[in-house]
Amino acid sequence: MRRITLDDVANLAGVSPITVSRVLRKPNVVSPALRLRVDAAVKELGYVPNLAASRLASSRTHAIGVIVPTLYNVIFAEYLFALHDVLVAAGFQVIVVNSRYSEIEEENAIKALLGQRVEAIIITGTHHTPLSRQLLTQAHLPVVETFELSPDPIDLNIGMSQEQAGQTATRHLIERGFRRIAFLTGNLDHRAQSRFEGYRVAMQQADLPNLPIVAERPRHSSVALGSDLFAITCAHGEVPEAIFCTDDNLALGAMQECRKRGIRVPDDIAIMGFHDLEFAACAAPSLSSVVTRRFETGKLAAEKVLAALASSARSKSQQIDLGYALIPRESTAV
């Protein structure tokens, strides 16, 4: 058993290795008959081009690195879909790395991607270790930080104010007359912390106390976790009038736990989600939530990377605020 080489394809197709290389790299510049002959040989032998050798022979890798904090949460599915949709259509390979909500693992991911000579890096979040920031700054390639806004972007920053969104969600509950409002979260990453800060500020501005029922467990966000967190709030004694969950999965779990306990939503308690996942509008009752533009974020990040790679001039740092929108539904109706 040995690796099939370019020479093997050339011998079977009856052409030179240079001709095979030309057909594979620029199929549009050769005749259809020659292209069919080479393609047939490639398929018969199961030949796979040596990308490492191709990259060494040119200054391009046609690879884009993408770092996300988890592959578990559906929140990033639309984002990754949009990135792939734009970048793959443009002839780029997308290399996705999971940092697992760890800045140290993110740092290692950046090193690994730079070692693979990616042409750009799209990264979730704006909080990095000093070394990560140094590596990204000195790499002299397009860098896009997404999902939140930074006061000091490395290069391009596309996102929204997580804190303002948290304030808006909390004020929605306050404006509907709720006073005892609890906050539920799983992993308290930087974006969840910002939402909590928004919750805290809104409660303070309304002269309402932060409840001691701020349930947190360092676990992946899920419906089951939402159920567990609501059980924790009930264990504190009096059930709050409303709860603000850092994402819709937790909110749906909280609603299911309410149903088990005979607590009516929204008659006995109001529930606010975040991200407006697909099921939010279909839940019973339908779930109030904050729309975060995940697909648009991924699409715009990919388009900006392609534009930067096509330009010879290095642009200045830029920030794009895609904003958010609150969608009130049955779960917070009075």
Side-chain angles (χ1 to χ4, degrees), residues 101-114:
Y101 289 101
S102 165
E103 290 186 6
I104 297 300
E105 291 201 32
E106 178 188 89
E107 181 182 295
N108 292 332
I110 292 169
K111 292 177 183 177
L113 291 171
L114 293 177

Side-chain angles (χ1 to χ4, degrees), residues 10-314:
N11 290 334
L12 182 60
V15 298
S16 69
I18 293 177
T19 299
V20 173
S21 179
R22 185 182 303 114
V23 171
L24 295 178
R25 288 186 297 107
K26 299 179 179 179
N28 294 331
V29 303
V30 300
S31 68
L34 179 58
R35 187 166 64 246
L36 287 173
R37 202 161 80 199
V38 171
D39 286 346
V42 167
K43 291 178 181 177
E44 182 175 337
L45 294 173
Y47 172 70
V48 178
N50 187 335
L51 293 179
S54 299
R55 291 172 180 177
L56 288 173
S58 70
S59 60
R60 302 294 302 272
T61 63
H62 288 90
I64 306 296
V66 176
I67 303 175
V68 293
T70 179
L71 297 174
Y72 179 86
N73 200 321
V74 69
I75 289 167
F76 296 101
E78 294 175 62
Y79 173 70
L80 291 173
F81 180 84
L83 288 172
H84 279 83
D85 201 34
V86 175
L87 295 173
V88 172
F92 285 85
Q93 178 187 14
V94 181
I95 304 175
V96 180
V97 185
N98 176 11
S99 67
R100 301 197 296 183
Y101 289 101
S102 165
E103 290 186 6
I104 297 300
E105 291 201 32
E106 178 188 89
E107 181 182 295
N108 292 332
I110 292 169
K111 292 177 183 177
L113 291 171
L114 293 177
Q116 296 182 55
R117 299 175 58 220
V118 295
E119 296 189 28
I121 291 181
I122 301 172
I123 188 168
T124 300
T126 61
H127 296 80
H128 321 290
T129 66
L131 179 56
S132 290
R133 188 174 179 88
Q134 179 184 350
L135 290 170
L136 292 171
T137 302
Q138 295 179 348
H140 299 295
L141 48 75
V143 174
V144 187
E145 298 167 285
T146 61
F147 275 86
E148 55 188 312
L149 299 178
S150 169
D152 184 24
I154 294 173
D155 185 8
L156 178 63
N157 180 202
I158 302 173
M160 54 172 276
S161 172
Q162 300 281 341
E163 181 176 336
Q164 287 182 9
Q167 286 188 44
T168 299
T170 308
R171 287 194 187 114
H172 171 76
L173 296 172
I174 294 171
E175 288 167 0
R176 273 159 173 69
F178 303 112
R179 294 295 176 263
R180 290 180 47 79
I181 304 171
F183 182 88
L184 270 63
T185 184
N187 282 321
L188 201 57
D189 60 271
H190 289 293
R191 287 169 297 285
Q193 287 176 5
S194 294
R195 285 171 223 152
F196 174 70
E197 181 61 18
Y199 157 84
R200 189 192 65 77
V201 169
M203 294 290 282
Q204 187 177 56
Q205 290 176 345
D207 198 25
L208 296 174
N210 293 338
L211 292 188
I213 312 171
V214 178
E216 173 198 352
R217 278 193 176 176
R219 282 165 45 191
H220 290 298
S221 176
S222 66
V223 175
L225 178 59
S227 178
D228 290 346
L229 290 174
F230 185 74
I232 292 174
T233 68
C234 292
H236 282 265
E238 185 179 351
V239 176
E241 297 172 351
I243 55 174
F244 171 28
C245 303
T246 53
D247 70 43
D248 291 345
N249 291 315
L250 298 182
L252 182 61
M255 286 203 299
Q256 291 184 345
E257 186 66 21
C258 285
R259 189 173 294 113
K260 291 178 185 176
R261 294 170 179 262
I263 300 172
R264 299 168 300 168
V265 179
D267 296 349
D268 301 325
I269 188 171
I271 297 180
M272 166 66 68
F274 201 91
H275 287 305
D276 195 39
L277 299 181
E278 185 179 10
F279 64 75
C282 305
S286 58
L287 177 64
S288 297
S289 192
V290 175
V291 176
T292 55
R293 299 178 171 91
R294 301 174 299 280
F295 183 89
E296 292 86 346
T297 298
K299 183 174 182 292
L300 185 57
E303 291 171 347
K304 290 292 185 180
V305 161
L306 294 179
L309 292 175
S311 173
S312 57
R314 179 74 172 175

